[in-house]
Amino acid sequence: MPIVKYPRAREPLYYEWERKAQKCGLRHTVYAVNGDQYTGEWLNNLKHGKGTQIWKRTGAIYSGDWKFGKRDGYGTYSIPDPVTKEYRKVYTGWWENGQRTGQGVSFYPNGERYEGEWSDGVRSGWGRMHYQDGSSYEGQWEADQPNGQGMLLLPNGNRYEGGWKDGKKHGPGRYFYLDKGQLLEGTWAEDISKCGVMVDFDRDKAPAPTQYPIPEIELDDPAGVLAEAQALLDDSDN
């Protein structure tokens, strides 16, 4: 009886092509249609693991961790300088779901720098901001502004310690005029001192004290005066 050989069943070629097109594991540089390029690890066609992305339109580079196609973990984002074309860091730190979240450092074009906590891409939590004029703020942040308790240190050594709201001094606080050897303790509203008590403070160590010391004034109830001022401030907020 003759032996009949049947051809081996083969799957359609497009199945093989689709498997080869799937990106999984470590891959060499992959180019997008718009010219963006990515070199790194993949999982199920998504950037996942360690990798570097270069955006063609802006020239920006992100190098770090990825998770399911988004920046997630620790990484650094840099952009080219428009004049020198050299890359400068914009942010280095932690990311979550494509946004700056957790501890990180942000570098601004004018030389300012923020070190601290982030949430959903904005400064939020505890952090320190170094400003261009040499002053610095350290304290609580919310919605990308100083909010809560914090200290502003000026280049001449003077400082404010107290409450903040939307980036302005607000609530009970103390302002140390170390250049004059004086201390103002009181209540602020939108960066303006509304009520307080000024006293001499380390006057003998001050570089430029006032000509005469502040005379001492006896108050029957200094705590009550400040409490009344705070109550008036609360009423104005409402």
Side-chain angles (χ1 to χ4, degrees):
M1 182 176 180
I3 298 175
V4 179
K5 293 184 177 180
Y6 295 97
R8 182 180 299 176
R10 297 185 61 183
E11 62 184 13
L13 282 177
Y14 64 82
Y15 283 176
E16 182 180 355
W17 297 337
E18 185 177 358
R19 279 198 303 271
K20 291 183 177 180
Q22 295 293 314
K23 294 183 280 294
C24 190
L26 181 62
R27 296 287 293 255
H28 294 296
T29 302
V30 176
Y31 292 87
V33 177
N34 61 2
D36 295 348
Q37 61 186 73
Y38 171 81
T39 305
E41 297 175 297
W42 297 77
L43 179 64
N44 297 332
N45 270 344
L46 295 173
K47 304 162 192 170
H48 192 89
K50 301 288 185 181
T52 299
Q53 168 91 16
I54 302 177
W55 286 268
K56 179 178 177 59
R57 186 177 65 84
T58 62
I61 293 179
Y62 170 80
S63 181
D65 296 324
W66 296 78
K67 187 175 181 180
F68 302 122
K70 294 185 178 182
R71 290 168 284 185
D72 200 299
Y74 190 86
T76 299
Y77 179 78
S78 306
I79 62 173
D81 186 274
V83 179
T84 64
K85 305 303 180 184
E86 295 182 356
Y87 277 90
R88 65 172 185 84
K89 289 181 181 179
V90 174
Y91 174 81
T92 181
W94 292 92
W95 303 71
E96 183 176 329
N97 198 30
Q99 298 285 349
R100 306 175 192 185
T101 302
Q103 290 287 336
V105 182
S106 187
F107 305 88
Y108 298 88
N110 59 2
E112 297 181 345
R113 184 176 79 257
Y114 171 80
E115 308 165 351
E117 296 177 296
W118 299 75
S119 180
D120 293 330
V122 298
R123 294 167 290 187
S124 184
W126 191 271
R128 180 188 297 111
M129 183 74 185
H130 301 271
Y131 296 100
Q132 187 179 20
D133 62 1
S135 61
S136 64
Y137 168 83
E138 181 175 2
Q140 294 174 304
W141 294 75
E142 184 180 347
D144 219 33
Q145 295 284 351
N147 273 287
Q149 293 295 309
M151 180 185 73
L152 175 67
L153 179 63
L154 300 178
N156 62 0
N158 293 350
R159 71 180 187 270
Y160 167 82
E161 301 174 356
W164 294 80
K165 182 179 179 182
D166 299 333
K168 297 180 179 180
K169 306 177 193 71
H170 196 88
R174 299 186 297 173
Y175 202 113
F176 295 84
Y177 296 90
L178 298 185
D179 57 338
K180 297 181 179 180
Q182 294 178 333
L183 165 64
L184 173 61
E185 185 169 6
T187 303
W188 275 257
E190 297 185 349
D191 254 355
I192 300 174
S193 175
K194 294 295 185 178
C195 179
V197 177
M198 179 80 81
V199 297
D200 286 328
F201 178 81
D202 283 346
R203 180 183 175 83
D204 55 335
K205 301 178 183 178
T210 55
Q211 185 175 0
Y212 302 104
I214 298 176
E216 295 185 4
I217 300 176
E218 295 289 339
L219 294 176
D220 294 336
D221 185 12
V225 173
L226 292 179
E228 184 178 352
Q230 181 63 47
L232 294 174
L233 179 61
D234 295 338
D235 291 339
S236 65
D237 289 340
N238 299 330

